[in-house]
Amino acid sequence: MYTIGQVANITKLSVPTLRYYDEQGLLANIKRNEQGNRVFDDSDLEALNLIDCLKRTGLTIKEIRDFIILCKKGNDSLHERLDFFLMQEKTINEKINQLKKSLSLIKFKEWYYQTAIEHGDEAYVANMNEADIPDVQKRNYIKGHTK
Amino acid sequence: MYTIGQVANITKLSVPTLRYYDEQGLLANIKRNEQGNRVFDDSDLEALNLIDCLKRTGLTIKEIRDFIILCKKGNDSLHERLDFFLMQEKTINEKINQLKKSLSLIKFKEWYYQTAIEHGDEAYVANMNEADIPDVQKRNYIKGHTK
DNA sequence: ATTTGACCTCAAGTTAACTTGATGGTAAAA
DNA sequence: TTTTACCATCAAGTTAACTTGAGGTCAAAT
């Protein structure tokens, strides 16, 4: 059993953010004590962890709420919920691939500036003959560029 | 040489977005023709590709502009620019790792719902003895949870 | 006994990143 | 020649996800 302040400490979310998530229907089964204060338990922490995960995949709060609503429907929505996670898996993999492409471009830039620094002049690299660009860097560059 | 409409088609950004980027100083060296229309060239497309890459790493437009300003300083800022990209590399790697953790949780959920569907009842999985959860799934679950 | 600190609600404010709308210029097609 | 299709600017509107502020309750410490 945790107070909202303790949960804020654990999750590194602000207290108003937690209240906001609750308002938005993301924390379906939060209890209240006699004074009307929110009382969180471990299942709520799990829910918050899932919310964090889904936000990372790019879902909006509205979309996360839609999933919570699905959960409340019980056994009837098991297939839908499985499909939901299969979709998220696809999305995450796409995101990872995009980030890997971005990483290639970043590494090309690192090589570019390292070489520029070595020669004390950016123009040296900028005007470099394509044949003189190391294959790895060329690959990085191309990868970062296409698609 | 491309018109703003052509660039919108190539980059899949909207025409107003391109104008907005220009306003915000993200497209430093865009030319104009006699009628005052923007004329993009390949270096501008490269710039847009970098912008896309930096946005993916989580940079704001303001932060991207700061980098552009750095570029305009010429050879004096080579070190700073290299450091900038080294930082971005770190950020991207962290993002990829976080996404991989999220993927683990997603896969646990997939196993969870697949098992629930097989037994026609979510309660079967939800109340399952921890010893009966396959090691792989347990690992996924834990990984998704810690940190 | 009152001050402190953590909780509450509700309404309003903020910020980023665009988008939309109003208005107008030029140029090629109908 | 007038309609269509892009281009332009400028101001205002939108949306998401919070954050901030005002005003109030309650329990424990000073």
Side-chain angles (χ1 to χ4, degrees):
Chain A
M1 297 302 179
Y2 316 90
T3 68
I4 197 169
Q6 292 171 322
V7 174
N9 268 327
I10 295 169
T11 61
K12 305 299 169 196
L13 295 168
S14 77
V15 169
T17 297
L18 287 167
R19 286 203 265 255
Y20 171 72
Y21 283 179
D22 188 18
E23 263 171 41
Q24 297 301 309
L26 265 50
L27 302 169
N29 61 348
I30 269 201
K31 305 290 183 305
R32 299 285 182 130
N33 64 12
E34 324 76 52
Q35 289 115 60
N37 292 6
R38 290 175 184 80
V39 177
F40 293 71
D41 62 20
D42 287 317
S43 80
D44 297 315
L45 290 186
E46 269 187 49
L48 282 167
N49 185 53
L50 178 59
I51 289 166
D52 176 61
C53 162
L54 294 177
K55 277 174 67 62
R56 267 176 222 287
T57 83
L59 288 195
T60 65
I61 280 172
K62 205 169 289 182
E63 289 165 327
I64 297 174
R65 176 177 44 215
D66 288 345
F67 172 73
I68 305 289
I69 290 170
L70 221 51
C71 290
K72 290 199 202 146
K73 287 198 189 158
N75 284 332
D76 289 350
S77 66
L78 289 177
H79 271 287
E80 272 180 274
R81 284 187 268 166
L82 174 58
D83 288 348
F84 171 84
F85 283 111
L86 290 170
M87 274 268 286
Q88 295 320 305
E89 183 184 350
K90 251 190 74 182
T91 307
I92 291 194
N93 279 322
E94 279 161 14
K95 275 204 187 259
I96 289 177
N97 284 333
Q98 265 300 340
L99 282 178
K100 284 183 179 169
K101 274 186 198 167
S102 293
L103 196 55
S104 295
L105 180 49
I106 300 283
K107 288 199 170 171
F108 172 79
K109 292 288 183 178
E110 288 172 9
W111 167 82
Y112 177 100
Y113 284 113
Q114 228 125 34
T115 312
I117 288 168
E118 276 164 31
H119 291 78
D121 188 4
E122 185 175 354
Y124 175 84
V125 211
N127 305 325
M128 207 158 134
N129 195 320
E130 211 186 300
D132 298 329
I133 300 177
D135 277 0
V136 199
Q137 300 308 334
K138 226 185 303 188
R139 255 203 310 285
N140 281 342
Y141 182 65
I142 299 304
K143 265 203 259 170
H145 252 264
T146 50
K147 254 289 173 58
Chain B
M1 299 301 178
Y2 316 89
T3 67
I4 197 168
Q6 293 171 321
V7 174
N9 268 327
I10 296 168
T11 60
K12 305 299 170 197
L13 296 168
S14 76
V15 169
T17 297
L18 287 167
R19 286 203 265 254
Y20 171 73
Y21 284 178
D22 189 18
E23 264 171 40
Q24 296 300 310
L26 265 47
L27 303 168
N29 61 349
I30 269 201
K31 304 290 184 306
R32 300 284 185 130
N33 64 13
E34 324 76 52
Q35 289 115 61
N37 293 5
R38 290 175 184 80
V39 177
F40 294 70
D41 63 20
D42 287 316
S43 80
D44 297 314
L45 291 186
E46 270 188 48
L48 282 167
N49 185 53
L50 179 59
I51 288 166
D52 176 61
C53 163
L54 294 178
K55 277 174 67 62
R56 267 176 222 287
T57 82
L59 288 195
T60 65
I61 280 173
K62 204 168 291 181
E63 290 165 327
I64 298 174
R65 175 177 45 215
D66 288 345
F67 172 74
I68 306 288
I69 290 170
L70 220 52
C71 290
K72 290 198 203 148
K73 287 199 190 156
N75 284 332
D76 289 349
S77 68
L78 290 178
H79 272 286
E80 272 181 274
R81 285 187 267 166
L82 174 57
D83 288 347
F84 171 84
F85 282 111
L86 290 169
M87 273 267 285
Q88 294 321 306
E89 182 184 350
K90 250 190 75 181
T91 307
I92 292 194
N93 279 322
E94 278 161 14
K95 275 205 187 259
I96 290 177
N97 285 333
Q98 264 300 340
L99 283 177
K100 284 183 179 169
K101 274 186 199 168
S102 293
L103 197 54
S104 296
L105 179 50
I106 301 281
K107 289 200 171 171
F108 172 78
K109 292 288 183 179
E110 287 172 9
W111 168 82
Y112 177 99
Y113 284 112
Q114 228 124 35
T115 311
I117 289 167
E118 276 164 29
H119 291 79
D121 189 3
E122 186 176 354
Y124 175 85
V125 212
N127 305 324
M128 207 159 134
N129 195 319
E130 212 187 300
D132 298 329
I133 300 176
D135 278 359
V136 199
Q137 300 309 334
K138 227 183 306 189
R139 256 204 308 287
N140 280 342
Y141 181 65
I142 301 304
K143 263 203 257 169
H145 253 264
T146 51
K147 252 286 170 64

